[in-house]
Every structure is written in structure tokens, then in C-alpha cells.
Amino acid sequence: MTADATPVPPAGRRLRFASLGSGSKGNATLVSDGETHVLVDCGFGLRETERRLARFGLHPRQLAAVLVTHEHGDHIRGVGPLARRHHLPVYLSAGTWLSRRLGEVPRHTLITPQARFAIAGLEIDPVTVPHDAREPVQFRFHAHRRSLGILTDLGHPSEHVIERFRGCDALVLECNHDPRLLADGPYPPSLKRRVGGDWGHLANAQASRLLGRLGLDRLQHIVCSHLSEQNNRPELARDALEPLLDGDTGRLTVAAQAHGFDWRDVA
């Protein structure tokens, strides 16, 4: 472990989460109950993933599993190589598996959307979301009577999503784009329609409305995630969400593409 590495969380009664990086070039989120560590998605190449895990004092073989939300490259680029190199089990929906984008993996477990499963002390709810993939899900984690929602890559805040993610203690929430930047940006028209459509990605204002409907009373941590480098700015995401926080902006974080964010404890 390097001198500036973040220590591996010791055994204890706490739910924790961190990010290796978040954005259009790659996404990966760590979730831990203090003993069991899982990685949600892996959109970075093998060596880059190993390097980013080392920042947190983790070797890939300390991971209990890799969970996959859907088959887009910024979420699965490193899943197959990481699983093969380090013999890690992969959990994913049948539709994501049938996309054949991962290649061979040593072990895979098919999960059923809306059916809770467990990995050691972590209980996990896979939730169907509106996104242009084969069978996309996002995840809500439960441990030590606390819950964490990871909610990115959805085109609109459906009633089903609102119902399943209401009452979290921490939330990683997509703030992908600003509509004006998207409209004026370099993307071709077809990609602009995809990103801004009902099966694409959340705009900042959509994320704000969704957060308001989910409720903020229990939320200790709110992370703006999956920001587009072309079509968004951290300050625009903050401006959209901060009015909901009644001045308590210390619980709001913006995840970075280059380094994600450090461990957050759910007290």
C-alpha cells in the first residue's frame, strides 16, 4: 500500500461507498459493509482498474464480486478482463449477459430485477430502470440497517424508480447533462436525441426533481455522478441540487472522472 492510499475499511457496523471514477469515459463504484467489498460496474481497462483500486488499498482479489448494471462500454470495459484475471464472480441480469459484451467470465450469476439477493453481509435490490440497454438495472444496498442507492443511467425518473429508491440514507445520482450544453455541443443530432430522450440520461433539472420526490430527510450523502465532460459542468449540477438542501451543502459531492471520490461512511 502506498503512503497516501486510503485504508481498507476495517470490520465494523457501517455501510461505505467510494468511486474509482465516474463519467462518460468509465464508471466503477465500491460498496462495502466493512468486511465484504463489491465493485459496481468496471468501465476502465484492467491495469487502470488495478491502479485505481490500489488507491483505496485494495487488491482485486479482495473483491467478493463485480455487479453489472448494463452492457454499455463505459460500465463493462474492464469487467471481463478483471473477472478472468482475478477469478471474480460477476452478477448481472439475463439480458445483460445475453448481450455477449463481457466475453467469458469464470463465474456468473443471473439476477432477477426486483428480487433481492445477498453477497455475504450485503443485501442488494436490483431495480429496473428506463435506459437503452438489454435489461438494465441499478442497485440499492442494505447493511447494518442503512441503505445506499446507486442510480445512474436512466432516461427519466419513472414511478417505479421513485418507489424503489425512496428513503435511502445515501444516494449516488446521475446528473449527466445540461440541456443547453447538449443542444449546442458537438454531438451528432442522433446522439443528442438519444442522450436527452426518455431512454438516455438524466439532465440536471430531472435529477433535482427526482431527488425532491425521493425525499432528503434521511440522506446523509448525495453524490452527483456520471457527468458528461462535453455536456455538463460540476457547478451546473451543484446549482441544480443545492436549492433542495436548505444550506446543508456539506452532504453534496460531485464525482470526478479522474479520481471518483473517497470513502463515504453511512452513519
Side-chain angles (χ1 to χ4, degrees):
M1 185 187 303
T2 60
D4 59 349
T6 306
V8 178
R13 298 185 61 81
R14 54 181 170 174
L15 180 61
R16 307 190 87 189
F17 65 106
S19 171
L20 306 190
S22 178
S24 304
K25 294 180 179 177
N27 298 272
T29 307
L30 285 165
V31 181
S32 173
D33 68 352
E35 296 177 329
T36 301
H37 319 302
V38 300
L39 189 65
V40 179
D41 291 333
C42 184
F44 304 101
L46 176 59
R47 290 185 179 180
E48 181 65 13
T49 300
E50 292 172 337
R51 185 186 71 80
R52 292 183 183 229
L53 283 170
R55 286 184 46 241
F56 294 92
L58 282 172
H59 187 278
R61 294 197 182 187
Q62 291 175 269
L63 298 173
V66 181
L67 280 60
V68 179
T69 60
H70 64 293
E71 70 272 16
H72 291 163
D74 57 328
H75 294 264
I76 66 158
R77 186 172 296 113
V79 172
L82 188 72
R84 289 189 290 271
R85 175 75 175 271
H86 299 288
H87 307 285
L88 299 176
V90 176
Y91 290 71
L92 72 176
S93 71
T96 301
W97 175 248
L98 291 173
S99 72
R100 305 300 182 194
R101 296 284 305 278
L102 273 76
E104 294 301 318
V105 295
R107 289 176 288 160
H108 74 276
T109 297
L110 298 182
I111 59 177
T112 302
Q114 285 66 250
R116 181 174 294 191
F117 64 99
I119 300 174
L122 287 169
E123 294 189 330
I124 305 158
D125 293 325
V127 180
T128 298
V129 295
H131 191 53
D132 56 353
R134 289 286 295 267
E135 192 178 15
V137 296
Q138 296 291 310
F139 295 107
R140 182 168 178 170
F141 293 85
H142 305 264
H144 312 313
R145 297 189 297 176
R146 296 291 181 266
S147 70
L148 160 69
I150 297 180
L151 186 50
T152 68
D153 292 79
L154 65 158
H156 67 277
S158 67
E159 292 299 321
H160 174 70
V161 165
I162 292 167
E163 177 186 349
R164 297 305 295 260
F165 283 89
R166 188 174 278 129
C168 289
D169 298 285
L171 183 66
V172 178
L173 177 63
E174 177 173 54
C175 296
N176 178 257
H177 63 276
D178 173 83
R180 178 171 294 180
L181 289 180
L182 177 65
D184 295 342
Y187 284 6
S190 60
L191 184 54
K192 290 179 180 181
R193 288 193 295 271
R194 173 192 170 260
V195 170
D198 281 347
W199 299 89
H201 294 274
L202 282 188
N204 295 329
Q206 288 178 299
S208 177
R209 291 194 293 271
L210 172 55
L211 185 60
R213 293 198 62 188
L214 294 178
L216 288 89
D217 290 347
R218 291 177 58 97
L219 282 171
Q220 302 173 29
H221 302 287
I222 305 160
V223 180
C224 304
S225 69
H226 212 308
L227 273 69
S228 168
E229 289 186 310
Q230 295 280 353
N231 304 310
N232 209 355
R233 303 285 183 271
E235 61 271 20
L236 296 177
R238 283 186 170 275
D239 287 347
L241 269 56
E242 283 183 349
L244 300 175
L245 303 181
D246 295 325
D248 186 13
T249 59
R251 54 179 166 159
L252 182 64
T253 302
V254 178
Q257 179 70 87
H259 52 78
F261 56 87
D262 290 333
W263 287 111
R264 298 291 189 270
D265 290 346
V266 185

